[in-house]
């Protein structure tokens, strides 16, 4: 009876999987009905596989032990048995159909983006996410906020190391949120495990996904498609708020945008002090430029040019402003005109012209940046 004991032991070893349902070893159940469905589907298929495993191995070991040569057993001869062949075709066929039915149901539910309450365009961009609330006039970039010091071990790593951003995506609970995914450069993938949403963001294409989050909270994910050097540094953070809080938040975003526009307009007649621009510029540089041009300003030879001693950085101011505003098409140097305010660009230009031994002494004002934007617009006319 050894074979039976072995089979029972094996089954017992498998049983704790039920207890593992909410552990680090299993898939997470998430916070949406779909993520729960995906989890249930995963457990169903897993248990079917286990049951098949138990049955097949039990028969196999029983046969090996009971029909072993030392017992003097003569092997059965049933070549080309139609009965057996029909059975071993029909049984797996039935099992596969039984698996395909719930899998297809879940997949169709995941793909159904119709009747959404709100639509958000998600754009991957080396190496940050851009969120646009369609029809609301609200959009912003979401950039990783983990400090360089934590990354290089000069500082203890925080609780949400590499999974924190300056501005999370905010969505309302209980509402169907549709996502339109695309990319500015290479293929990224927007992934929040708690929502069971993982969708490629492809340049030139729009993919769709959706979620309806039941509970308020902060949910974290990452880019899930190898997208270059800082692929591991473009986390996704989503904050689900009650619909009332969400409306308050959305209204505050709209008024903040208006204020920023007014503040930018007001800046045009002002002359900002150099130290204010330097401080602003350093913050901008570390958040938006250091990933490529490096905190040291030395770049990565052959890939990202150094800012220290660069002929552009120490050359004519207008050319320097232009490359930041409009990027250099066809290279990883992207256009920052839409991402950064004129004050931020004035700051980063001033900062780079007076750091790492660059000592041009130039102070660039927001009005100069605006003048370059206007010049570009004139050109386009
Ligand atoms: Cu990416």
């Amino acid at each position: 009876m050894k074979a039976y004991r072995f089979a029972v032991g094996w089954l017992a070893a498998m049983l704790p999987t039920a207890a593992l349902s909410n552990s680090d070893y299993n898939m997470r159940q998430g916070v949406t009905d779909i993520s729960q469905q995906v989890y249930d589907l995963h457990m169903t298929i897993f248990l079917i596989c286990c049951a098949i495993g138990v049955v097949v191995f039990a028969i196999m070991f029983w046969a090996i032990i009971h029909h072993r040569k030392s017992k003097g057993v003569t092997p059965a001869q049933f070549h080309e048995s139609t009965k057996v062949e029909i059975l071993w075709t029909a049984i797996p066929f039935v099992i596969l159909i039984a698996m395909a039915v719930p899998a297809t149901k879940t997949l169709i539910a995941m793909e159904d983006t119709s009747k959404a309450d709100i639509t958000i365009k998600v754009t991957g961009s080396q190496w940050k996410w851009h969120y646009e609330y369609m029809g609301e006039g609200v959009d912003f970039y979401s950039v990783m906020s983990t400090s360089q010091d934590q990354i290089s071990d000069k500082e203890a790593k925080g609780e949400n190391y590499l999974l924190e951003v300056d501005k999370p995506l905010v969505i309302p609970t209980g509402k169907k949120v549709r996502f339109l995914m695309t990319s500015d450069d290479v293929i990224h993938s927007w992934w929040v495990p708690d929502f069971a949403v993982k969708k490629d963001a492809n340049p030139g294409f729009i993919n769709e996904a959706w979620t309806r989050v039941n509970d308020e909270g902060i949910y974290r994910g990452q880019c899930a498609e190898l997208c270059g050097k800082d692929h591991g540094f473009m986390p996704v953070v989503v904050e689900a708020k009650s619909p009332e809080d969400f409306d308050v938040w959305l209204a505050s975003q709209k008024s903040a945008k208006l204020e920023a526009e007014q503040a930018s307009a007001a800046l045009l007649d002002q002359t900002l002090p150099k130290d204010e621009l330097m401080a602003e510029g350093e913050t901008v540089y570390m958040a938006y430029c250091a990933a490529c041009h490096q905190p040291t300003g030395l770049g990565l030879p052959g890939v990202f040019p150094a800012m220290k001693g660069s002929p552009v950085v120490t050359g004519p101011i207008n050319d320097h402003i232009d490359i930041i505003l409009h990027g250099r098409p066809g290279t990883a140097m992207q256009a920052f005109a839409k991402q950064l305010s004129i004050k931020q660009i004035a700051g980063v230009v001033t900062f780079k012209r007076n750091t790492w031994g660059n000592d041009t002494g130039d102070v660039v004002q927001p009005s100069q940046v605006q003048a370059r934007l206007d010049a570009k617009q004139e050109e386009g006319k």
Side-chain angles (χ1 to χ4, degrees), residues 31-33 115-118 171-177 210-216 240-243 246:
V31 294
T32 66
D33 295 349
K115 300 198 192 82
D117 297 308
I118 136 172
I171 59 172
T173 54
K175 301 259 180 185
K176 184 160 181 176
V177 181
W210 69 276
T211 193
R212 181 184 281 122
V213 180
N214 299 327
D215 303 318
E216 286 176 42
K241 290 180 188 281
S242 70
F246 174 78

Side-chain angles (χ1 to χ4, degrees), residues 155-228:
E155 205 179 86
K157 298 195 189 313
E159 185 192 350
N160 296 310
Y161 179 68
L162 302 187
L163 291 174
E164 51 199 347
V165 297
D166 56 349
K167 280 189 87 174
L169 174 68
V170 178
I171 59 172
T173 54
K175 301 259 180 185
K176 184 160 181 176
V177 181
R178 177 168 66 139
F179 299 112
L180 303 178
M181 315 275 186
T182 187
S183 167
D184 277 342
D185 34 54
V186 299
I187 305 178
H188 302 270
S189 183
W190 197 84
W191 180 36
V192 180
D194 277 326
F195 301 169
V197 172
K198 186 200 246 175
K199 204 71 170 175
D200 276 6
N202 298 338
F205 289 85
I206 303 240
N207 279 337
E208 287 183 276
W210 69 276
T211 193
R212 181 184 281 122
V213 180
N214 299 327
D215 303 318
E216 286 176 42
I218 293 179
Y219 305 104
R220 295 172 199 277
Q222 281 166 302
C223 177
E225 183 67 58
L226 188 56
C227 59

Side-chain angles (χ1 to χ4, degrees), residues 17-75:
T17 48
L20 286 178
S21 62
N22 232 343
S23 82
D24 287 347
Y25 298 102
N26 201 352
M27 194 171 176
R28 62 175 87 184
Q29 303 192 24
V31 294
T32 66
D33 295 349
I34 283 286
S35 69
Q36 185 66 48
Q37 264 189 53
V38 169
Y39 174 83
D40 291 343
L41 177 67
H42 160 257
M43 288 313 285
T44 308
I45 305 290
F46 177 66
L47 288 176
I48 293 176
C49 293
C50 288
I52 294 172
V54 169
V55 171
V56 169
F57 277 95
I59 296 174
M60 217 172 82
F61 280 105
W62 179 81
I64 290 170
I65 289 161
H66 283 266
H67 298 120
R68 62 186 186 272
K69 197 176 175 187
S70 61
K71 274 192 155 184
V73 174
T74 39

Side-chain angles (χ1 to χ4, degrees), residues 17 38 40 47 51 70 79 100 109 113 169 196 209 236 251 274 331 356 377:
T17 48
V38 169
D40 291 343
L47 288 176
S70 61
H79 281 282
T113 55
L169 174 68
V236 174
K274 184 175 178 187
T331 74
W356 313 299
Q377 232 168 21

Side-chain angles (χ1 to χ4, degrees), residues 297 305-321 323 328 352-353 358 360 362:
M307 295 289 102
K308 179 183 160 92
S310 148
V312 177
V313 175
T314 55
I317 293 180
N318 281 350
D319 295 346
H320 186 184
I321 296 175
I323 189 172
R328 202 165 269 166
K352 288 192 301 158
R353 294 180 85 84
N358 295 347
T360 61
D362 298 326

Side-chain angles (χ1 to χ4, degrees), residues 272-280 350 354 360-363 365:
L272 300 178
K274 184 175 178 187
D275 46 346
E276 183 180 340
L277 287 164
M278 290 292 284
E280 175 87 34
T350 304
N354 298 285
T360 61
D362 298 326
V363 178
Q365 294 297 332

Side-chain angles (χ1 to χ4, degrees), residues 79-120:
H79 281 282
E80 283 166 42
S81 156
T82 320
K83 223 190 268 168
V84 171
E85 282 183 13
I86 288 178
L87 265 184
W88 76 40
T89 310
I91 294 176
F93 185 74
V94 170
I95 295 174
L96 282 180
I97 295 291
M99 287 173 152
V101 170
T104 310
K105 259 194 207 152
T106 305
L107 265 181
I108 289 175
M110 289 174 89
E111 293 295 323
D112 177 15
T113 55
S114 64
K115 300 198 192 82
D117 297 308
I118 136 172
T119 300
I120 298 172

